[in-house]
Amino acid sequence: SWTRIAGRIGAVPHTMAAMAAGLPLGVYSVWIINKSGGLIFQRNYADIDTNDTNETLRLASIWHSLHAISIQLSPVPGCTGIELLETDKFDLHCIQTLTGTKFFVTASPKTIGLEHLLHTIYDLYSDFVMKNPFYEMEMPVRCELFEHNLQSACEMMNARA
């Protein structure tokens, strides 16, 4: 399927792969990209190397472009873009809403339950960001209740990893 990209040869259980790479288990980061490809939210939830601001913005833009290209190139009718990118160091899970906003999570390889977490993040975004009368569409997310609840959800996910 064109919506799933795998770069792994010979699967290794996620705990062994992440431990061998010296990486923590669970969720690494959460990203939200608006329909224009602009990064409107990004937080890290693991003790990993981080990128500077310019690199973070560049990566969000690249992901938006790759996602859009995959929709156009897919031979599958109704393809919604890349949903999963697997590497030896991390997995990237993505969902796109009907409005074009993309939510993606990076996590240790083979982390279970990331689709559920993405839908939880979307619910939190809908409840705490979109219903906030002071939030302007397509602008960076600055909502304390959203960030607090998102951090709780990611910590719960990481506690299970």
Side-chain angles (χ1 to χ4, degrees):
S1 162
W2 277 78
T3 59
R4 296 194 179 266
I5 295 178
R8 184 183 328 276
I9 298 174
V12 177
H14 82 284
T15 52
M16 292 172 50
M19 288 173 29
L23 298 170
L25 299 177
V27 176
Y28 296 163
S29 62
V30 173
W31 303 56
I32 303 174
I33 303 172
N34 65 22
K35 65 182 174 188
S36 304
L39 181 66
I40 59 173
F41 183 84
Q42 191 276 330
R43 289 290 180 278
N44 292 322
Y45 295 99
D47 187 23
I48 57 172
D49 291 337
T50 58
N51 298 316
D52 64 25
T53 304
N54 288 335
E55 187 68 20
T56 302
L57 292 170
R58 193 174 307 116
L59 288 171
S61 178
I62 289 170
W63 180 255
H64 173 76
S65 300
L66 287 173
H67 196 272
I69 290 168
S70 72
I71 292 169
Q72 293 176 358
L73 293 179
S74 174
V76 178
C79 175
T80 58
I82 301 171
E83 296 172 351
L84 172 63
L85 174 73
E86 293 179 322
T87 73
D88 291 335
K89 305 267 187 211
F90 68 93
D91 285 356
L92 185 151
H93 288 258
C94 179
I95 60 170
Q96 179 172 313
T97 66
L98 294 175
T99 61
T101 303
K102 288 173 205 60
F103 295 82
F104 70 90
V105 172
T106 59
S108 58
K110 298 290 185 185
T111 299
I112 297 171
L114 291 176
E115 286 83 15
H116 177 71
L117 177 64
L118 279 169
H119 289 284
T120 300
I121 294 168
Y122 178 55
D123 290 343
L124 293 172
Y125 178 81
S126 298
D127 288 342
F128 296 111
V129 178
M130 297 308 293
K131 293 178 184 175
N132 182 342
F134 301 107
Y135 178 70
E136 293 184 39
M137 291 290 292
E138 307 298 314
M139 297 304 291
V141 174
R142 303 278 184 256
C143 181
E144 188 175 320
L145 283 174
F146 171 72
E147 292 185 34
H148 174 72
N149 284 285
L150 177 59
Q151 182 167 350
S152 295
C154 291
E155 286 174 355
M156 284 178 30
M157 184 78 174
N158 286 347
R160 284 188 257 154

